[in-house]
Amino acid sequence: MLRRGRDRLVGKPGGDLAFAGGQPFLLEGSLVGFPKALARIKELGAEALVPGHGPVVRGADVNTLLDDLTGYVEFVSRIASEGMADGMTPLQVAEKYKDNPYSGWQETERLVGNLHRAYSELSGNDLFTRLRVPDVWPEMVSFHGGPIGCKA
């Protein structure tokens, strides 16, 4: 339940913009837009955040989660730029950086999809260019090492 404090929102549902303990899936979103959305959520000053995936976070953990997600996007953007410059595919980049600060988060196979989104944006494609999950899914399965179970 959400309720209003005296002068600010006490709780705010984050939906699929916020993930606690799992990697966000940006294939159908935007690496450029995601941090802007996170910053907007942070501006709300919520004391609690109900993520689309993972447990509710409260207090200082709200900003920590939003900062961690922003750091994740910066990481994906950086390795995508490096990989693209080196002529690597998104899957090759994901394999190269398999052990990373976010590899303990669930759904690590999403890194591959997120790198595809980053490559699209780095190639100058419109932010609304549609990337289809079925086109990227085989690479995600390969990176995962087999069938991907649903944790939703």
Side-chain angles (χ1 to χ4, degrees):
M1 180 175 169
L2 302 177
R3 58 189 172 80
R4 288 220 172 253
R6 283 203 257 190
D7 59 353
R8 65 183 177 152
L9 193 61
V10 174
K12 181 70 179 155
D16 274 353
L17 287 174
F19 291 74
Q23 294 192 17
F25 193 43
L26 306 172
L27 178 72
E28 295 177 306
S30 165
L31 255 68
V32 171
F34 188 63
K36 292 176 184 176
L38 295 173
R40 180 64 186 115
I41 292 173
K42 197 172 187 177
E43 288 172 8
L44 295 173
E47 293 176 5
L49 179 67
V50 182
H53 298 268
V56 173
V57 292
R58 292 179 172 79
D61 290 340
V62 172
N63 285 340
T64 299
L65 173 64
L66 296 172
D67 291 343
D68 288 348
L69 290 168
T70 300
Y72 173 81
V73 173
E74 291 167 355
F75 165 74
V76 171
S77 296
R78 180 180 58 78
I79 66 172
S81 293
E82 292 172 8
M84 219 172 152
D86 291 342
M88 299 172 72
T89 67
L91 179 57
Q92 290 170 328
V93 173
E95 289 290 348
K96 179 178 179 179
Y97 292 97
K98 192 170 202 151
D99 295 320
N100 63 68
Y102 308 96
S103 60
W105 291 5
Q106 293 181 0
E107 294 99 13
T108 58
E109 68 279 351
R110 292 178 176 181
L111 177 59
V112 177
N114 296 340
L115 285 164
H116 273 276
R117 171 52 61 192
Y119 271 48
S120 177
E121 292 179 17
L122 287 168
S123 295
N125 292 326
D126 185 272
L127 295 181
F128 297 103
T129 298
R130 185 165 186 237
L131 300 179
R132 299 181 26 161
V133 174
D135 296 337
V136 177
W137 192 258
E139 290 183 22
M140 292 172 61
V141 170
S142 174
F143 182 75
H144 184 72
I148 300 169
C150 179
K151 295 181 174 80

